[in-house]
Amino acid sequence: MEANNNNISARSRRRKNTSIEDTLTFCDILDTFLANKVWFFISVIICLVLSRVYLATKSNVYQRQAVMLVKDDNGQGGSRRSNISTDALMQLNGVLAGASVKNEVYILHSFQLAQEVAKNLQLDVMYSVRSGLRNVSLYNDRPFTVNFTTEFTVPASFKLTLDSKRGGTITDVQFGNPMEESDFTAKVEWGKVVKTPFGDFVATPNEKQLEGLEEEIVGLTIGVQRISLEDAAIILYNKVTSGEVDKESTLVCITCTDTNIQRADDILNGLLDAYKRSIIEDKNQIAKSTSEFIEDRIALIHSELSEVEGKMADFKQNNGLVDIKASSDAFIQQSTTARQRTIQAETQHSMIEYLVDYLSQNISGNNLIPTMGGISDNGITTQISNYNQLMLQRNRLAENTSENSPTIQDMDLNLSQMRAAVLASLKGYSASLKLQVEKARQEEKGLMGNLHAVPQQEKKVIDIARQQSIKETLYTYLLNKREETALQLAITEANIRVVEQPFGSRTPIAPRTKVITLIALFIGIVVPFMFFYLKKLFDTTVHGRKDVEEYTTIPILGEVPHSQAGIRDSEIVVDGNKDDILAEAFRMIRFNMPFINKDARVIMLTSTMPGEGKTFISGNFAATLGLTGKKVVLIDADIRKRTRSRLSAMEGRYGLTSYLSGNIDNVQDLIVTKSKECNLDILPAGIMAPNPAELLMSSRLDQLMEELKKLYDYVIIDNVPAQVVADAGIVNRVADLTIYVLRETKVDRRYLPELERLHQEKIFNHLCIVINDSRGKSKRYGYGYGYGYGYGYGYGYGSKDSKKKSLWSKLFSRKG
């Protein structure tokens, strides 16, 4: 009972270390690699080949960049810190500031600009040529250009095979949504219209490219694909990125990735040009609005001035006046100053009334407020300038976003408030000017009252002359403003400067050959490792000594390594001249046997199921015992299948069943000599009996064992599997030692607790285990074979021929 408790305690201690032993370590990985290096090598080669095929299908991708500087309205650019005070002032006036560079970055990468560039560069028609496994995109180096004369309806693609320098043939036509193949073919001649189901086009040759392809012109196939302009813009949009160089400057970097360097440069230049044009158009909107306003006012003032001049002419003609009397010179000198103030005040008041009328009529629109330089109130001038700048920014953002955007709505609210503030300021200023005009008129009227001696005709002339002077002054001012506006319209400079033209390395950024190769190498190593690891993870069969010791306390007598293919179960592979690893394994079993039961003479071998190597182990173990000079007899106790007898060509002759049934009493008549060198005899199973279990239960079996003990030193019983039939349990009563054969990868580990139960309940006498077909060359935990004394003692691992292995076989032979 105490021994059982010690065994259970030992087993518990081993199970506590299970988590440590089962942890995946570098040694486990190395063992897996060494045991399956051929598969690792094949996997790596396959992955590397697939990576090369993948790289062969991918075109090189290049990256090009351009840098521009965003300047403010004064033409200044640089650090944002210098604009902090200006931004703060704009925010106080209701203008969203500080995000101007971000807005420009967004507009620069807008879909509208992408669509414009795609249209200008004709990117909706793509050309390619097959080179190996990849399609190489053509741009400026294409031998011809296809210009479609009809509007886009459906996407289409075709191949144009050049027959000569004059044209070619269309084949492999596909068009529609989705793309479907068509049997349409047509001849193409340069410069002539070709009618197709997906649109008419004209092919124009590129003479320089065709001259360079004189030898390859015939049979050269160019793929042509037409997509919608919107799809082309989307492709371009995805190729381009833009962003700020850093947070402290107003530099913007634009990046384009493409398979063609020249096309990437053209895309960047096209975006910059389109962006410049959009800025100039935005700036000219103010000048255009002011110009329209001035033209309307010039026409109105011209009409009023003509009317005043007509009145003057009619008055003089009707009254016969030629010149003003010199008597009024003194009064005129006194009233000159008052008249000038009146004229100036009325001019200012008229301009302000024009602006008030203009704002009242356009109170809810998105138009700009004309800028009139004659306004003396600087506050109103600043308000109008801020309003126009915000209106321009709002209109530019509205082109790329929805009218319901929160940003647009916030800007509309700010514009409405600013417009109301400007209108209120203008009305207040108009009222102030009106008072000034009235005061000036009253002053002038007072002076005119002193002219009682002047004829009424003189006074009328002066009044008409005053009106004429006002109209002439306003008319001259408007003509000057018209010239200034015309000059502003002629300005074509945007508030940006290209700092760096498109540049970049001509080394492709993709595909990354080294990275892909390393990934393929990594996958080639990981995939087989994961396969073998998962295979091991889901494998519940017994693998070596560690599994047996983890679940049982049954002593392990030894391990028989994996034998070479072609060895039969009945073959005796041990003899006195062999010192290979297989022979040493059986010597180790023989050496360990006395530690289990030193008085054991009758040894029975059994297993869980057929095919675990009992026949092979029993025969070679018996031969190993016989090599020590002991006499050994091997009994084929499997009287149902008679495996050993059949393999040894002893089937059908008398044997064990003949003795047990009482037909033959002299056992020596049944024994066959197997090997004199090994002192090994065999007792065959005999003729198949109808009642095997009853024969084995008879006392004749005990009598047989007593007689054999007198004749032999060891009796080896090759029995049936213990879990198949009851014969093993019946025969065990005569056995001194029971060897339970477990074959690696044959027995499920879940059976080991049941085997432990048989051991604890002593169903078998002195039960011990021999692990067969062990594939581990070297074991951790101190277990290993280490046979083959090749260290100067005159013994080798095997025969001399086995030592002469080639390097290839050493590298790729599966060991362990």
Side-chain angles (χ1 to χ4, degrees):
M1 184 65 179
E2 182 178 357
N4 290 340
N5 292 334
N6 291 337
N7 289 336
I8 295 174
S9 176
R11 181 175 60 183
S12 299
R13 287 194 299 270
R14 284 195 297 269
R15 287 183 176 176
K16 289 181 181 179
N17 296 327
T18 299
S19 59
I20 300 176
E21 295 173 352
D22 289 345
T23 302
L24 185 64
T25 64
F26 176 77
C27 292
D28 295 325
I29 298 174
L30 184 61
D31 290 344
T32 303
F33 174 78
L34 294 177
N36 305 279
K37 51 182 169 290
V38 175
W39 295 109
F40 279 91
F41 178 78
I42 294 173
S43 175
V44 168
I45 293 299
I46 292 175
C47 290
L48 290 176
V49 170
L50 291 178
S51 69
R52 299 306 300 177
V53 173
Y54 172 78
L55 291 172
T57 60
K58 296 297 179 181
S59 299
N60 292 334
V61 178
Y62 304 90
Q63 179 174 288
R64 308 292 286 179
Q65 291 181 333
V67 180
M68 74 174 189
L69 173 67
V70 180
K71 299 182 287 186
D72 57 20
D73 293 335
N74 296 323
Q76 301 296 324
S79 176
R80 289 190 189 176
R81 293 182 177 178
S82 61
N83 300 329
I84 292 178
S85 60
T86 305
D87 291 345
L89 181 60
M90 293 178 66
Q91 288 177 357
L92 290 175
N93 287 300
V95 181
L96 297 176
S100 59
V101 177
K102 293 183 178 179
N103 292 338
E104 302 306 319
V105 169
Y106 177 80
I107 295 173
L108 188 62
H109 190 213
S110 62
F111 182 77
Q112 179 184 0
L113 290 184
Q115 195 167 12
E116 182 177 348
V117 174
K119 182 179 180 180
N120 294 337
L121 298 180
Q122 296 182 347
L123 298 182
D124 55 335
V125 180
M126 298 178 290
Y127 308 84
S128 63
V129 63
R130 192 71 175 177
S131 176
L133 298 178
R134 72 181 67 170
N135 286 325
V136 179
S137 177
L138 302 179
Y139 183 56
N140 288 341
D141 53 349
R142 56 181 180 263
F144 58 86
T145 300
V146 174
N147 297 308
F148 283 88
T149 58
T150 56
E151 295 292 333
F152 174 84
T153 54
V154 292
S157 67
F158 60 87
K159 293 182 179 179
L160 200 159
T161 303
L162 300 180
D163 300 333
S164 63
K165 288 188 177 181
R166 297 181 178 179
T169 304
I170 293 178
T171 57
D172 297 341
V173 176
Q174 295 182 354
F175 65 94
N177 279 315
M179 299 279 280
E180 295 182 356
E181 295 184 0
S182 172
D183 56 358
F184 175 83
T185 59
K187 286 288 185 180
V188 176
E189 295 184 15
W190 304 139
K192 294 186 178 181
V193 177
V194 180
K195 295 185 178 295
T196 67
F198 49 85
D200 302 342
F201 68 86
V202 176
T204 305
N206 187 338
E207 298 296 341
K208 293 183 179 180
Q209 294 298 327
L210 290 176
E211 289 177 1
L213 298 172
E214 292 181 356
E215 298 180 356
E216 306 174 3
I217 190 69
V218 178
L220 179 63
T221 300
I222 305 296
V224 181
Q225 183 179 5
R226 187 190 191 191
I227 58 178
S228 66
L229 188 61
E230 182 179 355
D231 290 339
I234 292 174
I235 295 174
L236 188 151
Y237 181 86
N238 293 329
K239 290 181 179 180
V240 177
T241 58
S242 61
E244 304 166 80
V245 174
D246 56 54
K247 300 297 183 182
E248 300 297 330
S249 69
T250 58
L251 293 172
V252 177
C253 179
I254 317 158
T255 305
C256 179
T257 56
D258 201 317
T259 57
N260 188 286
I261 294 178
Q262 184 59 47
R263 181 166 55 197
D265 290 346
D266 290 348
I267 288 174
L268 291 177
N269 288 325
L271 284 172
L272 291 174
D273 292 340
Y275 180 66
K276 288 180 181 179
R277 288 195 298 270
S278 68
I279 293 178
I280 293 173
E281 290 175 359
D282 288 343
K283 284 190 172 183
N284 288 340
Q285 283 183 3
I286 298 177
K288 288 180 181 179
S289 177
T290 304
S291 177
E292 292 174 358
F293 173 78
I294 291 174
E295 291 294 340
D296 293 340
R297 296 304 167 183
I298 285 177
L300 178 62
I301 298 301
H302 182 272
S303 175
E304 293 177 352
L305 183 60
S306 299
E307 183 180 353
V308 171
E309 289 177 346
K311 287 181 179 181
M312 175 66 77
D314 292 341
F315 181 80
K316 287 184 177 183
Q317 184 177 3
N318 293 332
N319 294 276
L321 297 176
V322 178
D323 193 7
I324 302 175
K325 295 175 66 176
S327 60
S328 63
D329 291 342
F331 165 75
I332 293 174
Q333 290 178 357
Q334 295 177 0
S335 62
T336 298
T337 304
R339 184 183 300 113
Q340 290 177 351
R341 288 196 297 268
T342 302
I343 292 172
Q344 186 177 10
E346 288 183 348
T347 301
Q348 289 279 336
H349 181 260
S350 297
M351 292 173 56
I352 296 302
E353 284 297 312
Y354 292 154
L355 289 176
V356 171
D357 181 63
Y358 178 81
L359 286 178
S360 299
Q361 294 178 1
N362 299 276
I363 192 65
S364 61
N366 294 326
N367 299 322
L368 301 171
I369 300 176
T371 57
M372 307 297 292
I375 300 175
S376 59
D377 192 331
N378 293 330
I380 295 177
T381 303
T382 303
Q383 285 181 323
I384 293 175
S385 177
N386 291 339
Y387 176 87
N388 288 337
Q389 289 179 4
L390 184 59
M391 178 60 73
L392 283 176
Q393 185 177 2
R394 184 262 179 203
N395 291 339
R396 290 172 63 191
L397 292 176
E399 293 177 358
N400 299 283
T401 58
S402 172
E403 291 290 333
N404 296 325
S405 170
T407 302
I408 297 298
Q409 291 180 357
D410 290 342
M411 298 182 87
D412 286 342
L413 180 60
N414 287 337
L415 287 169
S416 177
Q417 294 174 354
M418 292 178 69
R419 190 185 302 112
V422 170
L423 183 59
S425 299
L426 288 174
K427 288 182 178 179
Y429 187 56
S430 176
S432 176
L433 290 175
K434 186 175 180 180
L435 293 176
Q436 293 179 15
V437 170
E438 291 177 357
K439 183 178 180 180
R441 286 179 178 175
Q442 290 176 1
E443 182 180 355
E444 186 179 1
K445 186 177 180 181
L447 292 174
M448 290 300 293
N450 296 327
L451 297 176
H452 54 85
V454 180
Q456 291 296 323
Q457 292 86 353
E458 184 82 15
K459 294 171 64 177
K460 188 67 174 178
V461 169
I462 293 174
D463 184 62
I464 295 174
R466 184 182 66 248
Q467 295 180 12
Q468 182 180 2
S469 178
I470 293 174
K471 302 299 182 183
E472 287 177 350
T473 303
L474 184 58
Y475 187 75
T476 303
Y477 171 77
L478 291 176
L479 289 177
N480 291 333
K481 291 301 295 184
R482 183 172 66 178
E483 293 302 321
E484 292 177 4
T485 304
L487 290 175
Q488 187 174 357
L489 285 171
I491 297 175
T492 58
E493 181 182 358
N495 62 337
I496 65 168
R497 179 169 68 89
V498 178
V499 178
E500 294 284 357
Q501 294 291 341
F503 70 96
S505 174
R506 292 188 175 271
T507 302
I509 62 171
R512 302 174 67 181
T513 304
K514 294 182 180 179
V515 174
I516 293 176
T517 302
L518 290 176
I519 292 175
L521 181 63
F522 176 75
I523 294 175
I525 295 174
V526 169
V527 168
F529 174 77
M530 292 302 299
F531 172 78
F532 290 115
Y533 178 76
L534 293 175
K535 181 181 177 182
K536 179 180 178 181
L537 192 65
F538 290 100
D539 187 5
T540 60
T541 58
V542 174
H543 288 275
R545 178 187 294 265
K546 184 170 73 75
D547 290 343
V548 176
E549 291 181 340
E550 180 180 345
Y551 292 96
T552 70
T553 58
I554 304 173
I556 297 176
L557 194 61
E559 298 177 67
V560 178
H562 176 70
S563 59
Q564 298 295 328
I567 298 179
R568 297 180 301 169
D569 289 345
S570 62
E571 186 174 349
I572 304 299
V573 298
V574 297
D575 59 41
N577 298 322
K578 286 186 177 181
D579 59 353
D580 58 11
I581 192 172
L582 197 60
E584 290 298 332
F586 283 104
R587 293 189 183 104
M588 186 63 69
I589 295 173
R590 182 185 64 190
F591 173 77
N592 290 332
M593 185 180 67
F595 294 100
I596 306 299
N597 185 1
K598 63 179 181 180
D599 299 324
R601 295 182 60 191
V602 180
I603 304 165
M604 185 186 79
L605 284 85
T606 185
S607 64
T608 306
M609 61 186 70
E612 295 194 59
K614 296 185 311 300
T615 301
F616 177 75
I617 291 177
S618 61
N620 284 275
F621 178 57
T624 304
L625 292 174
L627 288 174
T628 61
K630 304 294 183 179
K631 295 184 64 178
V632 183
V633 61
L634 176 59
I635 302 176
D636 183 5
D638 185 359
I639 59 179
R640 298 175 185 270
K641 296 180 64 177
R642 307 181 306 284
T643 302
R644 172 165 295 281
S645 300
R646 184 176 65 255
L647 295 176
S648 301
M650 299 178 185
E651 188 178 14
R653 61 179 299 162
Y654 294 112
L656 178 61
T657 56
S658 302
Y659 185 89
L660 295 179
S661 61
N663 293 332
I664 297 178
D665 293 329
N666 189 0
V667 69
Q668 295 184 9
D669 296 338
L670 303 175
I671 294 175
V672 179
T673 300
K674 175 65 175 178
S675 173
K676 293 183 179 180
E677 179 185 2
C678 297
N679 296 318
L680 177 60
D681 294 338
I682 294 179
L683 176 59
I687 301 172
M688 184 175 180
N691 54 346
E694 286 73 13
L695 288 178
L696 294 173
M697 292 175 63
S698 65
S699 59
R700 296 278 294 182
L701 179 62
D702 301 84
Q703 181 180 346
L704 175 64
M705 291 300 112
E706 293 300 326
E707 293 186 15
L708 291 177
K709 287 181 182 181
K710 297 175 182 179
L711 300 173
Y712 296 94
D713 297 306
Y714 292 102
V715 179
I716 309 300
I717 304 175
D718 183 5
N719 212 335
V720 298
Q723 300 301 314
V724 178
V725 291
D727 297 5
I730 296 173
V731 176
N732 187 254
R733 71 181 189 274
V734 299
D736 301 323
L737 179 68
T738 303
I739 298 177
Y740 203 98
V741 179
L742 289 177
R743 193 186 194 112
E744 274 199 20
T745 71
K746 184 75 173 177
V747 179
D748 198 312
R749 287 196 299 269
R750 292 170 291 184
Y751 170 72
L752 294 179
E754 176 64 19
L755 188 60
E756 172 66 14
R757 183 188 64 80
L758 297 177
H759 174 60
Q760 296 296 331
E761 295 179 358
K762 299 187 182 301
I763 303 299
F764 295 104
N765 296 328
H766 292 92
L767 181 64
C768 59
I769 292 176
V770 169
I771 301 174
N772 187 26
D773 202 19
S774 178
R775 297 174 183 267
K777 176 184 176 182
S778 61
K779 303 284 185 179
R780 290 175 292 154
Y781 317 104
Y783 305 123
Y785 302 124
Y787 309 123
Y789 305 93
Y791 299 97
Y793 292 97
Y795 299 99
Y797 180 81
S799 63
K800 292 182 180 181
D801 294 336
S802 64
K803 296 179 181 180
K804 298 179 181 179
K805 291 185 178 181
S806 64
L807 178 61
W808 183 266
S809 63
K810 290 180 180 180
L811 288 174
F812 298 103
S813 61
R814 174 165 176 152
K815 296 180 181 180

